[in-house]
Amino acid sequence: MSTKKILIVVDMQVDFIDGALGSKEAATIVSPVCQKIETARQNGDILIFTRDTHHEDYLDTEEGKHLPVPHCLKDSAGWQIDKRLPIAEGDTIIDKPTFGSLAFGNLLQQKYSSTVESIEFIGLCTDICVLSNAVIAKAALPDVPIVVDAACCAGVTPESHDTALAAMKTIQVNVLHQGQEPWRK
């Protein structure tokens, strides 16, 4: 059985780019993320997209009590993956109700444990959902190299982005730095 690389595109949704929780850092990574997706597709890599998914009761949830900004409400415009991203039929989309997704970890174990060469993460937010899902992937497949491309991620703040990258390094996630992040000139 041939091995494959998996590219995980985390929460590249309207609300995180230029919606309710958008930022200039998030908007800056859209183009490099699109390029990374196209390259992965050309290489025959597996693409998995995650989508933060909340419901009308969001403010009553534990997350909503700590981040009282309704965002990524299922079927809303802000919940949609940004239209600039080249999603294709056959790509996997995982709706997740919170930061990390145990369903994602289970999918990795059940479907890819014997065929995956490496897993790379890109997307939003480095310090919340990218970090959470990288930890889950590392726990699900501890012998598979996990990579995060810092230039294709953005955190809530540039400082929290850097802190999350440092934390991921300590659990043996390989952080790629291709020069400085585009918003830090």
Side-chain angles (χ1 to χ4, degrees):
M1 194 174 279
S2 66
T3 60
K4 293 281 190 175
K5 293 181 180 180
I6 300 175
L7 178 65
I8 310 294
V9 182
V10 179
D11 297 356
M12 289 295 295
Q13 294 163 265
V14 172
D15 270 348
F16 290 127
I17 296 170
D18 54 16
L21 294 171
S23 69
K24 69 176 181 162
E25 292 86 4
T28 300
I29 70 164
V30 173
S31 180
V33 164
C34 289
Q35 291 169 0
K36 178 78 76 165
I37 292 168
E38 289 293 352
T39 299
R41 197 173 308 288
Q42 290 168 5
N43 291 338
D45 298 341
I46 297 164
L47 287 151
I48 299 174
F49 294 80
T50 69
R51 187 166 45 194
D52 198 37
T53 303
H54 300 297
H55 300 279
E56 294 300 324
D57 67 343
Y58 171 74
L59 293 176
D60 297 325
T61 67
E62 185 68 14
E63 180 183 330
K65 291 173 186 172
H66 295 277
L67 179 62
V69 179
H71 64 282
C72 299
L73 299 177
K74 186 173 173 76
D75 299 323
S76 70
W79 175 72
Q80 304 300 325
I81 294 174
D82 189 282
K83 290 187 184 328
R84 293 171 283 188
L85 272 65
I87 298 175
E89 191 171 323
D91 291 341
T92 300
I93 298 176
I94 297 176
D95 291 339
K96 56 186 190 54
T98 190
F99 311 131
S101 171
L102 294 178
F104 167 67
N106 291 337
L107 172 75
L108 291 177
Q109 283 182 323
Q110 294 169 3
K111 191 168 182 180
Y112 301 110
S113 64
S114 63
T115 61
V116 65
E117 175 184 322
S118 65
I119 300 170
E120 182 172 352
F121 285 88
I122 59 176
L124 302 167
C125 293
T126 317
D127 45 336
I128 303 173
C129 295
V130 173
L131 171 64
S132 297
N133 285 289
V135 168
I136 288 170
K138 192 67 175 165
L141 300 174
D143 293 325
V144 172
I146 308 292
V147 176
V148 172
D149 186 340
C152 289
C153 293
V156 173
T157 67
E159 295 77 21
S160 63
H161 168 79
D162 291 341
T163 299
L165 294 173
M168 285 187 271
K169 284 181 184 179
T170 65
I171 62 165
Q172 302 169 357
V173 170
N174 183 22
V175 177
L176 300 178
H177 291 282
Q178 297 176 349
Q180 289 186 299
E181 289 82 2
W183 61 90
R184 291 204 185 157
K185 304 248 182 225

